[in-house]
Amino acid sequence: MDLDVFVTAHRAEWDRLDHLLHRGRRLTGTEADELVELYQRTATHLSLLQSSTPDPILTARLTQLVARARATVTGTRRASWRDATRFLTAGFPAAVYRSRRWWIPTAVLSTLLAAVIGWWIGAHPEVQSAIAAPEDLRRMTSPGGEYETYYSSHPAASFAAQVWTNNAQAAAMCLVLGAFLCIPVIWILFINVLNLGVGIGLMSSAGRLDTFLGLILPHGLLELTAVFVAAGTGLRLGWTVIDPGPMSRRSALAQQGRAAIGMAIGLALVLFVSGLIEGFVTPSGLPTWGRITIGIVAEAAFLAYVYILGGRAARAGDGGDVDPTERSAELPVAA
C-alpha cells in the first residue's frame, strides 16, 4: 500500500467525520447516518493500516477518531444491577467452568505434592530438625499449641478480614502474574502447597494429624479450591502468551485477560465466604464433624454453582468475557 496515496484518498472522509463528531447532538438525521457510515469506513481504514502499513502517527489519529465515533454511535452505557446479576449467575461461573481443564489438574497435582511433602517431613526426623528446634516443634504441635491457637489468636471479625485480604491478594497475583509465562504462578502455588505439606508433616509426626485436618478442612476446602482456580487461570493466561491458537497473540491475551479480571472479582467473593468460615467456624466450639460438614457443604455448593450455572452458561456461549458489543473489532487471522 502506498501510504501517501491512501491518505490523500481518504483524508477528506476523516476530516468530515471529525467535524461531525465536534457537532455532537446537533446533527440532523441525514448527518447522523453519514456519521455512522464514516465511522464504519474509518474503522476499516484503521484495520488496513494496522495490517499492512502501520504508521504510528496516522494509526494513533485514526484510533482516537474511531474511539470517539464509536462512543457517539453506541452511546455511553452504565453498569446496572442486571450486569452484576448476569456476572454472578453466568459470566463468573462460566469462566470457572471453561477453565476447569487447567485448575482441576492443578488441584490434583498440588494436593498430591502436599501429601508427599507431608509424608516426607513426617517420616524423617532429620527434616523436622532442619525446620525448627525440638522445643519449637513441640510448641507448635502440642495440644493448645500454635497450630490450634492460630485460628483464635484475634477477634473473629478482624481475623476473617485479614485472612480474606491475604488470600484475595494471592489469588489476584496468580491471575495477574500468569502473563509472565506462568513462572510466578508456579512459585506462589508452590509456597502454598509447601506450607500445607509442612503442617501435615509436623502434626502427623506428633500423632495429631486428625486435629490438623479438623482445623484446616472447614475453610480449607473452599479456600484452596479458589486458589487452585486462580492458579489454573493464571497458567492458562501464561500459556496464551506462548500459544495463542488461531487468534493473534494480542487478541487472545486480551480475551483471556478480561476473563481473568472477572475471575479475580468472583474469587474475591468466594474467598470472603471461606474467610468467614475460617474466622467464625474453624475456631468455634462446634464438634469436629460439624465444622468439617460446614466446609464440605460450602465446597459442594461452589462446585454445583460452577457445574450447573457455569456449565449451562458456557454451553450457551458465555465465556466470562465482556459483551461482544463492548469489545474492540478484530481483524480476521489466517489459519
Side-chain angles (χ1 to χ4, degrees), residues 216-229 267 269-275 277 294-303:
I216 202 73
L217 288 179
H219 65 273
L221 289 172
L222 187 60
E223 176 184 303
L224 288 174
T225 299
V227 171
F228 294 147
V229 170
L267 290 176
L269 297 176
V270 175
L271 289 169
F272 177 73
V273 175
S274 73
I277 296 174
I294 291 175
I296 292 175
V297 169
E299 173 74 356
F302 176 69
L303 293 178

Side-chain angles (χ1 to χ4, degrees), residues 58-77:
L58 182 58
T59 299
R61 184 202 171 187
L62 294 187
T63 298
Q64 184 182 35
L65 196 59
V66 168
R68 289 169 52 206
R70 182 180 182 186
T72 301
V73 170
T74 60
T76 57
R77 182 177 179 273

Side-chain angles (χ1 to χ4, degrees), residues 16-17 20-21 23-40 69 72-73:
R16 176 61 177 169
L17 177 59
L20 292 175
L21 290 173
R23 292 192 55 188
R25 297 182 178 181
R26 295 173 296 172
L27 300 177
T28 65
T30 302
E31 288 173 332
D33 292 339
E34 183 185 5
L35 187 147
V36 172
E37 183 178 354
L38 289 173
Y39 157 59
Q40 294 172 336
T72 301
V73 170

Side-chain angles (χ1 to χ4, degrees), residues 82-150:
R82 181 177 298 178
D83 296 318
T85 301
R86 178 191 168 278
F87 170 75
L88 292 175
T89 59
F92 171 60
V96 177
Y97 180 84
R98 282 183 176 270
S99 63
R100 68 192 185 282
R101 292 183 178 87
W102 286 89
W103 62 263
I104 290 178
T106 299
V108 172
L109 292 176
S110 298
T111 303
L112 290 177
L113 180 58
V116 170
I117 293 174
W119 168 83
W120 180 58
I121 293 174
H124 295 82
E126 66 276 12
V127 178
Q128 301 167 30
S129 300
I131 294 174
E135 58 271 18
D136 293 330
L137 293 178
R138 283 193 296 271
R139 187 168 61 249
M140 287 189 290
T141 60
S142 61
E146 293 177 1
Y147 270 115
E148 292 184 43
T149 59
Y150 167 77

Side-chain angles (χ1 to χ4, degrees), residues 279-292:
F280 292 93
V281 176
T282 298
S284 71
L286 291 173
T288 300
W289 66 266
R291 289 185 277 114
I292 292 178

